Amino acid sequence: DDPEKLAEFQAKIDADIKVEPRDWMPEGYRKTLIRQIGQHAHSEIVGQLPEGNWITRAPTLERKMILLAKVQDEAGHGLYLYAAAETLGVSRDELTEMLLDGRMKYSSIFNYPTLNWADIGAVGWLVDGAAIMNQVPLQRTSYGPYSRAMIRICKEESFHQRQGYDIMMKMAQGTEAQKKMAQDALNRLWYPSLMMFGPSDAESVHSTQNMAWKIKMNTNDELRQKFVDQTVPQAEYLGLTIPDENLKWNEDKGGYDYSDPDWTEFFNVLKGNGPCNTDRLEARNKAWDDGAWVRDGLMAHAEKKRAAKTA
Ligand code: ACO
């Protein structure tokens, strides 16, 4: 890239002027945005699987309607994000194919199973809670289409977090057995939720450049700390215990000291060895293959219309 153009681009970012699809941008900026937005879109789509798993078994009609609406919202989030990525010159089909053959990732968290109804509460509370913590600052991200998609997504995501907390409240105030289920869900999902923010700042490959470009607004560790600080009082209110013996308020830093997740497990999940990686990719591949006739039909229809127009 031309150094003069690069300096101009950086000055624009520093002045908080949004980058729009037709503007000049460094190839690295375009590439990392496609990676991040694409990965984010895939996460929304794959994220429907662990929750969709409980739609038919929700305990009441009301809970079923709420969960159905939430899972549909996630599909919508995926679509806004694919549309944002397409403005960078990649097609949705290409992105999907890269997910299906393992060239692109989705969030590590969705490789963990939802074993019972309490997990649906914990996913809403912790996973959507972590997602919002990461996504609220992304509303100010430098790429216009991504930042605008984030505004709407965050509104819906905060409803998701509250519905999860509401399930946890019901369980935590329920029978002894229900309270135990809520605690067990927290025990299993706590560390995988902390992993959602990505590796420690020392291990994060993209943070420095992407923060300079304002693609990322905070480091991984900053957001993880904020998440812990916000979530501990919520757990206390529920009467549940965060599974971390080292969790302790640190007056000097004005936040909690906490234990890191097992990073070996995290990198192992990224390599495809989490409890549900195979299932998730099989489900997405099956959906893609099963939908081939619809895509073919639409293409044939478009072709017929085009031919009729030019005739
Ligand atoms: N799951 C899977 N992969 C991850 C995760 C994670 N939780 N965290 C980091 N990684 C990967 C990165 O993609 C990168 O690998 P790559 O270069 O092969 O793509 C590698 O680990 C190193 O990490 P970083 O350099 O820190 O990566 P990055 O700067 O992209 O930060 C983060 C990761 C914070 C997740 C960032 O991409 C981001 O903010 N993304 C948008 C939010 C998002 O994707 N949310 C999805 C979950 S929320 C939901 O969908 C409900």
Side-chain angles (χ1 to χ4, degrees):
D1 289 324
D2 175 353
E4 220 169 278
K5 273 188 162 173
L6 273 179
E8 226 175 81
F9 181 79
Q10 191 59 50
K12 185 171 164 180
I13 300 278
D14 294 343
D16 281 332
I17 298 171
K18 293 269 182 267
V19 179
E20 295 298 339
R22 285 162 188 263
D23 298 347
W24 183 86
M25 61 186 84
E27 260 324 289
Y29 179 88
R30 182 189 303 277
K31 229 174 123 187
T32 201
L33 264 180
I34 291 175
R35 179 190 60 82
Q36 180 170 318
I37 303 175
Q39 184 168 311
H40 194 167
H42 298 326
S43 303
E44 301 282 357
I45 299 298
V46 177
Q48 293 178 99
L49 295 169
E51 296 192 309
N53 180 33
W54 281 90
I55 290 173
T56 54
R57 290 173 288 174
T60 66
L61 180 62
E62 196 190 5
R63 291 285 180 204
K64 182 171 177 154
M65 291 192 304
I66 296 170
L67 185 58
L68 200 55
K70 176 187 188 302
V71 173
Q72 283 174 345
D73 284 351
E74 307 293 3
H77 297 175
L79 299 188
Y80 315 151
L81 288 165
Y82 283 129
E86 281 186 317
T87 65
L88 291 157
V90 62
S91 75
R92 194 171 142 194
D93 282 5
E94 282 173 83
L95 289 167
T96 306
E97 278 158 12
M98 286 195 274
L99 166 72
L100 297 181
D101 67 18
R103 276 176 291 157
M104 281 186 88
K105 298 191 173 80
Y106 54 90
S107 180
S108 51
I109 187 70
F110 301 120
N111 292 306
Y112 291 85
T114 44
L115 302 178
N116 58 48
W117 182 251
D119 287 10
I120 296 300
V123 165
W125 172 36
L126 302 172
V127 175
D128 292 296
I132 303 173
M133 194 53 88
N134 163 277
Q135 288 170 190
V136 164
L138 288 178
Q139 294 177 107
R140 289 178 287 113
T141 195
S142 58
Y143 189 57
Y146 191 26
S147 85
R148 290 187 288 273
M150 275 303 128
I151 294 171
R152 180 150 172 200
I153 290 178
C154 282
K155 285 188 182 148
E156 294 177 349
E157 214 67 74
S158 80
F159 147 69
H160 298 171
Q161 196 268 353
R162 291 179 64 165
Q163 69 84 38
Y165 196 68
D166 186 60
I167 293 176
M168 290 307 275
M169 206 126 78
K170 259 270 168 345
M171 303 282 294
Q173 291 166 356
T175 62
E176 258 325 292
Q178 284 172 315
K179 195 168 172 182
K180 249 183 154 164
M181 279 170 73
Q183 180 63 53
D184 168 61
L186 170 58
N187 292 350
R188 281 180 292 104
L189 287 161
W190 174 251
Y191 288 103
S193 300
L194 295 187
M195 293 176 194
M196 286 176 69
F197 297 95
S200 72
D201 291 351
E203 300 261 348
S204 169
V205 191
H206 305 289
S207 283
T208 311
Q209 178 61 74
N210 286 359
M211 284 180 68
W213 277 334
K214 295 190 185 164
I215 288 175
K216 263 172 111 152
M217 309 305 286
N218 305 86
T219 73
N220 300 355
D221 285 332
E222 273 168 23
L223 291 176
R224 196 171 3 255
Q225 179 71 54
K226 271 183 95 168
F227 174 74
V228 172
D229 294 344
Q230 174 186 284
T231 310
V232 172
Q234 295 174 352
E236 281 168 0
Y237 186 78
L238 291 172
L240 300 179
T241 310
I242 298 219
D244 180 0
E245 284 177 3
N246 299 318
L247 192 76
K248 198 165 161 262
W249 179 254
N250 180 332
E251 195 60 51
D252 292 339
K253 76 171 181 189
Y256 284 89
D257 288 332
Y258 63 93
S259 303
D260 264 331
D262 176 353
W263 291 121
T264 314
E265 177 180 321
F266 171 75
F267 286 113
N268 213 12
V269 171
L270 258 55
K271 276 195 220 129
N273 303 323
C276 300
N277 294 61
T278 309
D279 282 2
R280 301 298 186 232
L281 274 186
E282 267 176 20
R284 289 313 309 152
N285 269 289
K286 183 174 184 306
W288 182 248
D289 294 344
D290 289 353
W293 68 273
V294 180
R295 294 192 300 276
D296 289 348
L298 286 171
M299 290 308 284
H301 180 66
E303 187 55 38
K304 253 194 203 165
K305 272 187 108 172
R306 200 185 55 81
K309 230 181 187 172
T310 49

